Amino acid sequence: VSPMSAAPEDHEASQRRGAKRRSARGARRRPSWLPLTALLHALAGRSWLRGARGDEMAFVDVFSNDKIEVRSLDVRVKPARGAASLFAEDPMAAHDWAVPKDIENVLMAQVAASKLSAAQSPAAKRQESLKAQLGPLYAVLPKLPNGRLGNATARYALHRHFSRAHGWWIKGLEPAAAAWVRSMTVTPEVKQITKYIAPAYLQERILLQAGGGNAGMDLHWLSIMAAILEHLIRSEMMEYLYSLIRALEMPVSAPRTPGEVEELVSNFMLVYAFGADLEVSSRGDLLRMREYLDSHHEGWKQLQAHVSSKLRAADPPPNSFSEVLRFLEGFADTYAAWQERDCELARTELLAKPSLARGRVPLSDLSRSQAPGHRSLFTEPPTYLRKLGATESTGGEGGPEHLVVPNYLLSQTMCLSTASFYQVCCRNPCDEYLQ
């Protein structure tokens, strides 16, 4: 199952994010999305994370009654070559890890840049631009007594910023993400952490710089955190492009023909949208993966057509490494708009149901929808929809179940995962009224 098919996952299998010590090529696993209903029904449960031995993931749960429970989990996962990743339980598992040391280095660089003027440093200039973009939202959000944003409010501000500016839902900044974290300790032995706790880890490090965990974040530190997330996204994209050029046995710096650029961009989509693992995949593996998708995946064909149209419209056409990278960064900004087509189709079909009442549609009236050029919609079983908090029973327990349309459209099932630090999900119309 590819990420673009939005197939249901077993979300109860993992509702905590973990930190893990492993080598650069070790086993990987991405904990799944935390459903909103899981958060709402979590009472006062909290978790904090620690470094683990070997290939273990360790959790420490602190419950509302102060009971502490330590759990560990073996997370060995076999690497998947080429098209094999399409059939993995989590096709993006190879890409959902971040290096704490890298995050720390970017933080130190951005803090140093913040002490310079915009004329002295491009990084300082970008921070000033982000400060101007975040300023209006910062001004109206509730503050702590010291005038700063609380931790949860700061996370909301950044989620709103990236969602509005790029259509990205940063992993770990989603409305229901990491809200259970009480404290976190990432020991020096931890080599990689999941991207779903990377923002919480980064925020913790920033708060230490800003004066302590309870001091909150002012606009200055909020813009620094936004700049760091941007930097991590761009540097990872650069790394993927470099690794792909090596896997395709192309020279890194030589000029490329339009055909070579198209091949490079097309294979990049295998990584970005479908999770191809470049650590274990050769040029032949990528070719076979493309051939399989060409024959079996309608969404891939539509994505290819979208990318090709963007390439033809590029002026001047990308040629060098930096130009191709710039093109891919521009494409990433349009990926959410491309995904929004499915969101609009789902919204239109649900609102056209004769049985629609108070924003709800009987589950019995739902059937699979497969429009040309779109992915399959309304394929989720009722048990999965209940986990998402997208259903409601009427007439008491055991009564007819209804799909709550807004909950469904804004749920994880309508998101497309990427190999980067973000997903693309349906636009929330309410945000337009909160500008």
Side-chain angles (χ1 to χ4, degrees):
V1 178
S2 79
M4 293 184 67
S5 66
E9 304 171 22
D10 182 2
H11 294 285
E12 290 180 342
S14 177
Q15 294 181 351
R16 301 289 198 273
R17 313 310 187 203
K20 180 182 62 167
R21 184 178 84 176
R22 66 177 184 84
S23 66
R25 298 177 65 89
R28 299 167 176 183
R29 177 183 178 89
R30 175 182 72 84
S32 61
W33 169 280
L34 178 72
L36 180 59
T37 48
L39 174 65
L40 295 176
H41 293 93
L43 298 178
R46 298 290 186 267
S47 292
W48 54 274
L49 306 118
R50 66 173 187 174
R53 300 187 306 274
D55 287 322
E56 289 186 341
M57 184 180 292
F59 308 98
V60 178
D61 296 326
V62 182
F63 296 92
S64 56
N65 60 0
D66 290 331
K67 176 185 175 183
I68 297 177
E69 179 181 320
V70 181
R71 299 176 289 116
S72 62
L73 175 68
D74 189 341
V75 293
R76 291 185 181 275
V77 178
K78 293 181 180 180
R81 292 181 57 181
S85 64
L86 299 174
F87 303 95
E89 180 182 357
D90 176 13
M92 290 296 174
H95 304 288
D96 275 339
W97 298 93
V99 180
K101 186 63 176 176
D102 290 347
I103 296 175
E104 190 79 24
N105 289 341
V106 177
L107 169 60
M108 293 298 101
Q110 291 289 344
V111 169
S114 70
K115 300 175 183 177
L116 303 174
S117 68
Q120 292 176 303
S121 165
K125 184 177 181 180
R126 181 55 185 161
Q127 287 180 23
E128 289 299 317
S129 175
L130 288 169
K131 192 177 295 183
Q133 294 175 42
L134 290 163
L137 179 60
Y138 179 88
V140 300
L141 288 174
K143 309 290 195 305
L144 298 173
N146 62 8
R148 295 185 173 189
L149 298 183
N151 294 350
T153 309
R155 295 163 62 82
Y156 169 75
L158 290 170
H159 168 74
R160 279 283 309 279
H161 166 73
F162 283 102
S163 176
R164 182 177 60 182
H166 306 283
W168 300 343
W169 286 38
I170 300 294
K171 295 172 181 177
L173 284 184
E174 313 97 330
W180 60 89
V181 173
R182 188 180 212 175
S183 62
M184 180 192 307
T185 302
V186 179
T187 65
E189 293 82 6
V190 174
K191 302 302 181 186
Q192 291 192 325
I193 58 177
T194 75
K195 288 177 179 176
Y196 287 86
I197 66 168
Y201 172 74
L202 172 59
Q203 188 176 30
E204 179 188 65
R205 306 308 298 170
I206 287 177
L207 290 172
L208 291 175
Q209 294 279 334
N214 296 322
M217 295 177 69
D218 59 16
L219 183 58
H220 169 76
W221 289 106
L222 192 69
S223 63
I224 287 179
M225 185 167 176
I228 293 170
L229 290 170
E230 283 189 346
H231 184 104
L232 290 171
I233 290 169
R234 186 174 194 275
S235 62
E236 185 179 55
M237 215 158 196
M238 186 183 302
E239 179 185 349
Y240 286 152
L241 180 58
Y242 177 80
S243 298
L244 182 60
I245 290 173
R246 299 298 299 269
L248 295 176
E249 303 171 6
M250 292 181 175
V252 175
S253 57
R256 295 175 178 82
T257 66
E260 288 174 333
V261 172
E262 187 168 0
E263 179 188 7
L264 186 57
V265 171
S266 179
N267 279 284
F268 185 88
M269 294 303 123
L270 296 179
V271 180
Y272 178 82
F274 288 86
D277 187 354
L278 295 176
E279 287 190 0
V280 295
S281 298
S282 65
R283 182 172 190 169
D285 294 324
L286 296 175
L287 175 60
R288 287 185 288 273
M289 185 175 181
R290 287 177 60 186
E291 290 174 344
Y292 178 86
L293 290 172
D294 286 340
S295 302
H296 296 85
H297 203 295
E298 185 63 30
W300 164 254
K301 298 174 186 177
Q302 298 299 322
L303 178 60
Q304 284 286 84
H306 176 62
V307 173
S308 296
S309 68
K310 293 293 181 183
L311 264 179
R312 289 193 298 270
D315 186 22
N319 186 299
S320 66
F321 182 95
S322 59
E323 290 171 349
V324 174
L325 177 63
R326 191 156 48 247
F327 170 82
L328 292 172
E329 290 173 335
F331 167 82
D333 276 345
T334 68
Y335 190 52
W338 183 78
Q339 139 75 356
E340 188 65 23
R341 303 171 314 126
D342 291 333
C343 300
E344 288 296 336
L345 178 62
R347 185 179 295 112
T348 299
E349 291 194 11
L350 289 172
L351 296 183
K353 295 284 185 184
S355 56
L356 176 73
R358 299 184 302 111
R360 290 154 176 78
V361 174
L363 285 186
S364 58
D365 286 358
L366 291 181
S367 59
R368 182 188 183 98
S369 172
Q370 183 63 73
H374 293 267
R375 62 179 177 176
S376 298
L377 298 172
F378 316 131
T379 61
E380 304 84 3
T383 53
Y384 176 66
L385 294 174
R386 293 186 198 108
K387 293 176 186 178
L388 292 176
T391 65
E392 181 181 87
S393 296
T394 59
E397 186 175 352
E401 276 194 290
H402 290 71
L403 182 77
V404 183
V405 174
N407 291 19
Y408 177 80
L409 294 175
L410 297 177
S411 70
Q412 171 69 6
T413 194
M414 291 300 297
C415 295
L416 295 182
S417 187
T418 76
S420 189
F421 280 81
Y422 58 85
Q423 305 175 93
V424 292
C425 303
C426 292
R427 175 182 54 84
N428 187 346
C430 295
D431 285 345
E432 297 179 4
Y433 299 98
L434 298 175
Q435 302 303 336

